Amino acid sequence: MKKPVFAANWKMNFGPQETRTYLKTFLDAFPKTDDRTVIIFPSAISLVVAGFALRDRPDILLGVQNIHWEEKGAFTGENSASMARDAGASVALVGHSERRHTFGEGDEITAKKCAAAFKAGLTVVLCVGEKLEERDRNTTQAVVLRQLKAGISRLNSAQIARIAIAYEPVWAIGTGRTATPELAQEMHAFIKSLLDLPVLYGGSVKPENAAELLAQPDVDGALVGGASLEIDYFVAICEAAVRSRS
Ligand code: PEP
């Protein structure tokens, strides 16, 4: 049995106080385990508090939602990978669709961010996924291939071996519309035919659909946005999914 990965992307939610409260309840509800990996991606402003709350839980990794590709300098409002590492993160989320499509970050920026993450000692969850019009034009695989190639273009093979991919069809993120398990499986198998890496599924994962998605042979975990804001939902997703594999 593969060890599944469950990542919570809190997006722009939960400042330090709420982070402390969430994690206290979450840790009580989710006892230490070595049969799955959990990653929490809080807001950058809550990283230090989250790191402190997780200090006795090495089974739960801390990630940063976004980094700048430069190490330091005149980039008002940005955080570098080394600053995120210093704040307790060990993973960086790169290429999330909100970064790509809301903030206009293209493949070149994604590539630079992946390289910056490794330079600072972080690993990467690289997000890829097509927009609805790209799926309708039958260009899904070409888009995902392009995003993957760009994402790893500045990494060496040892670094590539340490990343995880998150396949997140843009039309399923925050929309309540989930890819069918078959569609997710098809794309995960495609990605794995290119890169032998863990592939998480993201896009409106909920307690009701997690088990079915995770039961697919090439779905190695989930990247959860909206549902991760509810502690009970996120715990249920992690548990439903593990049950479906045992
Ligand atoms: C995400 O933010 O990566 C995500 C998949 O969001 P949601 O679960 O809300 O669709």
Side-chain angles (χ1 to χ4, degrees):
M1 189 177 104
K2 280 177 283 180
K3 195 164 153 177
V5 179
F6 300 98
N9 174 18
W10 288 354
K11 312 193 187 200
M12 198 172 70
N13 294 284
F14 300 156
Q17 305 279 12
E18 291 167 305
T19 295
R20 196 178 290 120
T21 307
Y22 178 112
L23 288 175
K24 189 175 177 326
T25 309
F26 177 73
L27 295 185
D28 288 343
F30 187 77
K32 212 177 257 182
T33 169
D34 62 4
D35 62 0
R36 68 205 106 165
T37 303
V38 171
I39 313 174
I40 305 284
F41 289 98
S43 142
I45 218 161
S46 299
L47 273 175
V48 171
V49 163
F52 189 72
L54 297 173
R55 65 197 178 283
D56 296 326
R57 290 294 297 267
D59 56 317
I60 303 181
L61 306 179
L62 189 59
V64 62
Q65 293 177 18
N66 180 42
I67 49 169
H68 195 274
W69 59 89
E70 294 289 349
E71 275 180 48
K72 57 180 159 183
F75 300 101
T76 302
E78 293 289 327
N79 296 297
S80 69
S82 60
M83 287 158 60
R85 179 106 178 101
D86 187 25
S90 59
V91 188
L93 197 60
V94 179
H96 190 277
S97 75
E98 286 148 20
R99 300 302 319 175
R100 290 181 191 270
H101 305 302
T102 309
F103 296 97
E105 296 180 2
D107 289 330
E108 181 55 18
I109 287 180
T110 301
K112 289 202 277 191
K113 288 187 176 190
C114 285
F118 277 101
K119 193 165 174 212
L122 304 176
T123 56
V124 166
V125 174
L126 171 65
C127 303
V128 297
E130 80 286 3
K131 295 196 273 189
L132 189 56
E133 61 265 33
E134 292 165 335
R135 175 158 285 274
D136 289 344
R137 282 201 303 267
N138 260 331
T139 54
T140 298
Q141 291 196 349
V143 167
V144 168
L145 176 62
R146 195 202 71 227
Q147 293 172 337
L148 286 171
K149 268 191 178 164
I152 63 170
S153 61
R154 291 170 180 246
L155 304 182
N156 62 38
S157 51
Q159 291 167 334
I160 293 169
R162 293 180 55 217
I163 70 176
I165 306 297
Y167 169 61
E168 301 202 302
V170 179
W171 46 270
I173 298 179
T175 59
R177 195 175 153 189
T178 318
T180 61
E182 294 72 28
L183 186 150
Q185 167 56 29
E186 185 188 311
M187 282 307 295
H188 283 229
F190 170 68
I191 293 167
K192 280 167 174 277
S193 73
L194 303 166
L195 288 169
D196 185 21
L197 295 173
V199 184
L200 319 187
Y201 172 77
S204 299
V205 175
K206 307 181 264 282
E208 307 85 279
N209 59 27
E212 216 186 348
L213 286 160
L214 267 287
Q216 301 302 311
D218 293 313
V219 176
D220 302 315
L223 177 53
V224 188
S228 74
L229 302 179
E230 298 289 336
I231 299 169
D232 293 352
Y233 290 180
F234 190 52
V235 170
I237 288 168
C238 298
E239 290 179 346
V242 168
R243 272 203 305 274
S244 79
R245 309 203 125 200
S246 45

